[in-house]
Structures are given as structure tokens and as C-alpha cells.
Amino acid sequence: MRIPVPQRPAAGRAVVLGIRPEDLRLDDTGVRARGAAHEPLLESGIATLSLDGVAKPLVVATGPETRLDRDDTVRITADPRHIHVFDTRTGDALR
């Protein structure tokens, strides 16, 4: 998976990506993720997903019609304009 970075970090510098739950979407064309938990709410839902190679879980805002059980496989995507990139050493956002 390639994600455009607004500013190239210095060689050897690590970055971390930040994506808000409302900016992630379940989408048949996205990367594969596995369901860890899903909380259906009246007008929306909250899905917690695991993604191979990513240490922390992803939280995705879902629609009220979404049903997701533990270990179900889904695909997720995000609009690159809503992905935030940070320098891990300084915490500065790369713009």
C-alpha cells in the first residue's frame, strides 16, 4: 500500500499515520482488516479492527446497518486527503 506523504521526512526518520474513525470507510476495494469488536448504536456504529502489520487497533465509524462479528473479514479505505502524517521523533505534523 502506498500513501502519498505531503512532505518527505529526512532519510531514516520514522513516521506515524493518523486517521480519524470517521475518515475510514468499509469498502470492497480497500485493504483487508479483521473484526475485533463492533458496537451498533442507534444512528451509527463503532467497529474496532485489526490490520496485519499494524500494532494498534483501528477504529472505524460505521453506518447503523453494519453488522460485524469478531474475526469477520472486511476491507477498509481512507481518503488520502484525511490522512495525517507525523514525525515520530518530534511529533510534528508533516505538511
Side-chain angles (χ1 to χ4, degrees):
M1 170 187 236
R2 290 191 180 272
I3 298 173
V5 177
Q7 172 186 334
R8 189 180 269 304
R13 294 292 278 284
V15 297
V16 65
L17 301 180
I19 308 170
R20 292 184 177 99
E22 62 270 17
D23 292 330
L24 289 167
R25 288 185 240 331
L26 300 180
D27 184 318
D28 292 339
T29 63
V31 297
R32 191 179 0 241
R34 194 172 47 262
H38 184 253
E39 181 179 358
L41 305 170
L42 290 176
E43 296 178 5
S44 62
I46 299 171
T48 304
L49 307 172
S50 62
L51 187 64
D52 288 344
V54 176
K56 295 187 178 187
L58 299 176
V59 178
V60 179
T62 66
E65 72 288 345
T66 300
R67 298 294 176 252
L68 182 65
D69 291 323
R70 184 174 182 83
D71 292 329
D72 280 355
T73 299
V74 295
R75 291 189 174 271
I76 58 170
T77 191
D79 184 332
R81 295 174 296 175
H82 297 287
I83 296 174
H84 309 279
V85 183
F86 301 92
D87 182 307
T88 57
R89 188 175 64 92
T90 66
D92 292 339
L94 301 181
R95 302 200 186 282

